[in-house]
Amino acid sequence: MKRLMNRHPGSIGRVFLTLLPFLLVVLAYAIASDIRLSENPSDKLLPSLTSIGSAVERMAFEPSKRSGDYLLWVDTLASLQRLAWGVGISALLGLVVGIANGVIPYVRANLSPFVTALSLIPPMAILPILFIVFGLGELSKVVLIVVGTAPFIIRDLQSRVLEIPSEQLIKAQTLGASTWQVILRVVLPQILPRLLDAVRLSLGASWLFLIAAEAIAATDGLGYRIFLVRRYLAMDVILPYVAWITLLAFIMDYALRKVSIKLYPWFHGLSKQGTAA
Amino acid sequence: MSFIEAKALWKEYGDNTVLERVSVSVEEGEFITIVGASGCGKTTFLKMLLGIETPSRGELLLNGRPLPDEPDSDRGIVFQKYSVFPHLTTLENVLIAKEFPKAGLTGRLFGKRRKAALAEATEALQAVGLEHALDKFPAELSGGMQQRLAIAQSLINQPKILLLDEPFGALDPGIRADMHQLTLELWRKTGITVFMITHDLTEGFYLGTRLWVFDKVRDDPHSPDAYGATITYDIPVGECDHRTLQKLEGSLGGDKENTEQRQQDEQVTTV
Ligand SMILES: Nc1ncnc2c1ncn2[C@@H]1O[C@H](COP(=O)(O)OP(=O)(O)OP(=O)(O)O)[C@@H](O)[C@H]1O
Ligand SMILES: [Mg+2]
């Protein structure tokens, strides 16, 4: 008999093992909800799966009585827009400042300690300042995401640039490259897959800051809705919203990984055709 | 005036004297192999030739002028590893060398100029036997193939000097012999000046035209860092250098002697 560490599940077994914990959680929830509801039919804490289902139908597929909007989609669109702006600006800042810090000693001496200091500011502590300065609109929410994630991405990419073997940078110079060409042809293409990794890792934080900002001041958005219906203990709305946010985050993470494999096969040890090297 | 000249060269890192009183001159077209104990300063010497380290004292001259203190396209280098770009295919790795000096802001060549560069890159890869691996990433190549790629890449812009820092140290003996053959061939063809560090004395002895041994002449057992190494042996080996060979071939004229000379060369260099 092989050691346990050397035994691998087959493809059907793998799917089963993957789904199992999810199914168990749903099952446990259904049982617990059943027990509570049989004791007190008006209990709001663990609504039955059917009432969650009808809440989803109400939020996603029926126009709201007050505004006529399909609330789930309006909220999703609003949140995703804020997230995209925030993450996009952070990624761009991270790329530009991270590479400049990594490649050019003068910029590094100038900016690196500053970025480190910035990254130590707790972003939530300056949220009131953002609301005061940028108002309660979209801008302050996007800025919160940027403040919360850009320093991390910058610092990560800077150290990734510094990890590129100096042999490569010297080699490029012996081939006649200028600083700009080294950045463009040697550093940037090797940093882009690392940027995707850094963005993946910072997505959790981006969602956190988004929902926090929406909870405090917004008129739509996934975070806004969750905190709004909390007043009525509407667990039947909160739970599917949380599941939906989780699913969205998962899809983003998965898509970023696929994009990285597609665009940067060498980074994943694959050949140009995408087969294992 | 010599092509390269070191005048009383010293290199110190803080209290650690690595090299001392290195005085030597090198003519164009020589193939110099360098041996010496680990940590005695061979790489340091190469780094000074490359321009990424500066002498603490003394002078290092190229055609009578101080060597530029940053790497440039006159001096090619092949390191023991990390010499090629992992994100580019074999062909792109050589193509980029053609693009750097010519391309401006975009860092790329387009149209006709790109085509010409591609053809030249393909030819250079044929010369090192990599024509079947044009589309592969370095990670897909064996160690020997990666070093052949690194050599093709270094030579394509026709530098005046080629610096090799134990380029074949990590390879199997059989493959290493092939690589030596290839290096010699390219050296003969281009007339480039080669400095090659090796940790194998016999290797150094049969390759190239001149062998340097780096060693300490003074040693203080109580403070091992006090004195540096210098060139203790400077031996002409194998054959005459490229220039002299050409001169000989030219003056001899007769085919018979000419071939004899060649055969002698081959014998000495392929042992
Ligand atoms: N950047 C540096 N700072 C301080 N000391 C250094 C530096 N680079 C090299 N040295 C020291 O210089 C000495 C010579 O190093 P070098 O790399 O030139 O040796 P080497 O002859 O190439 O050895 P090996 O055969 O192991 O490659 C060593 O003692 C090393 O510790
Ligand atoms: Mg060395």
Side-chain angles (χ1 to χ4, degrees):
Chain A
M1 191 100 145
K2 269 198 201 172
R3 284 185 191 83
L4 189 57
M5 60 190 280
N6 293 327
R7 284 158 58 193
H8 298 275
S11 55
I12 296 175
R14 193 182 300 268
V15 172
F16 174 73
L17 288 175
T18 305
L19 291 179
L20 189 62
F22 293 99
L23 294 175
L24 285 179
V25 168
V26 173
L27 190 70
Y29 178 88
I31 292 170
S33 153
D34 229 37
I35 293 172
R36 278 189 78 101
L37 287 173
S38 65
E39 280 171 18
N40 173 11
S42 61
D43 179 61
K44 293 198 115 183
L45 200 61
L46 299 181
S48 70
L49 291 179
T50 33
S51 61
I52 289 179
S54 63
V56 170
E57 206 178 314
R58 190 159 29 91
M59 299 303 290
F61 305 112
E62 288 168 15
S64 134
K65 282 182 203 104
R66 267 194 29 222
S67 60
D69 290 330
Y70 295 84
L71 289 177
L72 178 69
W73 306 116
V74 171
D75 289 336
T76 303
L77 190 68
S79 288
L80 286 185
Q81 262 173 4
R82 291 167 190 145
L83 198 70
W85 275 107
V87 171
I89 293 172
S90 275
L92 197 67
L93 267 177
L95 198 62
V96 172
V97 182
I99 287 183
N101 271 358
V103 177
I104 302 167
Y106 266 96
V107 177
R108 182 161 61 242
N110 189 232
L111 283 186
S112 186
F114 183 64
V115 171
T116 306
L118 280 188
S119 74
L120 295 174
I121 300 173
M124 291 308 293
I126 58 164
L127 184 56
I129 303 177
L130 299 182
F131 281 143
I132 293 167
V133 175
F134 298 109
L136 298 178
E138 298 302 291
L139 190 58
S140 54
K141 299 175 188 67
V142 171
V143 172
L144 180 67
I145 296 174
V146 172
V147 169
T149 58
F152 161 78
I153 297 182
I154 293 173
R155 290 179 73 187
D156 185 54
L157 292 191
Q158 172 182 335
S159 56
R160 298 283 162 263
V161 172
L162 290 171
E163 272 169 25
I164 295 178
S166 63
E167 281 92 340
Q168 279 186 38
L169 307 183
I170 293 167
K171 179 78 182 210
Q173 296 175 64
T174 66
L175 299 176
S178 61
T179 303
W180 170 244
Q181 286 172 327
V182 169
I183 288 175
L184 196 67
R185 301 291 317 268
V186 180
V187 176
L188 179 67
Q190 295 195 59
I191 285 308
L192 284 173
R194 281 143 176 132
L195 172 69
L196 292 186
D197 275 356
V199 167
R200 280 176 67 195
L201 286 178
S202 66
L203 269 183
S206 302
W207 276 104
L208 168 73
F209 295 125
L210 173 72
I211 289 170
E214 287 180 343
I216 294 170
T219 53
D220 54 10
L222 297 166
Y224 162 76
R225 195 68 55 198
I226 289 176
F227 277 79
L228 181 75
V229 300
R230 176 190 63 95
R231 292 181 207 156
Y232 324 115
L233 280 181
M235 289 292 272
D236 56 342
V237 174
I238 295 177
L239 288 175
Y241 260 64
V242 171
W244 175 236
I245 292 172
T246 310
L247 181 67
L248 288 175
F250 178 82
I251 291 171
M252 286 177 203
D253 184 80
Y254 182 81
L256 284 173
R257 195 160 60 89
K258 285 288 165 196
V259 167
S260 176
I261 289 174
K262 180 87 195 144
L263 293 182
Y264 313 107
W266 58 271
F267 186 69
H268 303 271
L270 301 173
S271 76
K272 199 154 192 182
Q273 289 74 39
T275 52
Chain B
M1 187 177 59
S2 302
F3 181 51
I4 293 170
E5 193 169 8
K7 287 184 179 169
L9 199 66
W10 293 67
K11 180 67 193 179
E12 288 147 4
Y13 290 109
D15 288 340
N16 182 5
T17 306
V18 177
L19 293 171
E20 61 177 48
R21 281 180 306 173
V22 178
S23 293
V24 75
S25 58
V26 175
E27 295 309 320
E28 213 166 343
E30 290 197 74
F31 190 135
I32 293 160
T33 49
I34 301 173
V35 295
S38 182
C40 73
K42 305 180 297 292
T43 300
T44 304
F45 185 75
L46 225 60
K47 281 181 177 169
M48 287 194 279
L49 282 174
L50 188 60
I52 55 175
E53 286 287 356
T54 46
S56 311
R57 271 179 274 166
E59 283 181 304
L60 194 54
L61 306 172
L62 173 68
N63 289 323
R65 290 206 204 128
L67 264 153
D69 61 358
E70 64 173 351
D72 59 27
S73 47
D74 279 346
R75 292 161 286 169
I77 178 133
V78 176
F79 297 103
Q80 190 165 8
K81 49 184 183 171
Y82 304 129
S83 264
V84 294
F85 303 118
H87 60 293
L88 298 175
T89 63
T90 304
L91 185 59
E92 288 166 346
N93 256 291
V94 181
L95 179 66
I96 200 175
K98 296 291 327 170
E99 292 183 307
F100 278 145
K102 289 189 203 139
L105 218 56
T106 61
R108 289 168 194 276
L109 293 175
F110 299 99
K112 244 192 225 146
R113 298 210 302 166
R114 180 183 158 84
K115 248 193 192 150
L118 270 174
E120 202 179 324
T122 312
E123 200 176 313
L125 285 167
Q126 262 160 9
V128 297
L130 284 180
E131 64 272 23
H132 302 300
L134 298 182
D135 255 349
K136 293 205 163 138
F137 290 118
E140 301 174 76
L141 305 178
S142 70
M145 290 162 92
Q146 285 188 26
Q147 291 308 73
R148 275 188 273 164
L149 172 57
I151 290 175
Q153 190 187 44
S154 305
L155 288 178
I156 192 141
N157 289 336
Q158 296 162 349
K160 297 193 187 111
I161 303 167
L162 180 62
L163 306 169
L164 306 167
D165 192 351
E166 301 193 30
F168 314 132
L171 305 181
D172 290 341
I175 297 170
R176 196 146 73 197
D178 291 348
M179 299 296 291
H180 288 158
Q181 230 21 66
L182 176 74
T183 314
L184 281 173
E185 237 168 67
L186 293 171
W187 167 66
R188 286 219 183 81
K189 215 157 57 185
T190 54
I192 193 173
T193 309
V194 179
F195 292 83
M196 180 171 117
I197 298 177
T198 162
H199 56 254
D200 182 349
L201 183 62
T202 35
E203 184 174 301
F205 213 81
Y206 288 111
L207 215 62
T209 62
R210 193 169 168 188
L211 174 73
W212 288 351
V213 180
F214 276 74
D215 202 0
K216 288 187 182 186
V217 280
R218 308 184 282 172
D219 208 357
D220 179 351
H222 299 296
S223 72
D225 289 347
Y227 299 113
T230 188
I231 299 176
T232 51
Y233 286 93
D234 181 352
I235 322 163
V237 287
E239 54 177 285
C240 358
D241 68 62
H242 193 76
R243 281 294 168 82
T244 327
L245 181 68
Q246 275 180 340
K247 230 185 322 185
L248 276 178
E249 277 179 349
S251 64
L252 283 171
D255 271 331
K256 190 164 159 281
E257 290 92 331
N258 213 340
T259 28
E260 264 174 18
Q261 175 71 44
R262 277 235 189 77
Q263 276 165 356
Q264 235 173 328
D265 289 349
E266 297 303 349
Q267 265 175 7
V268 174
T269 51
T270 55
V271 171

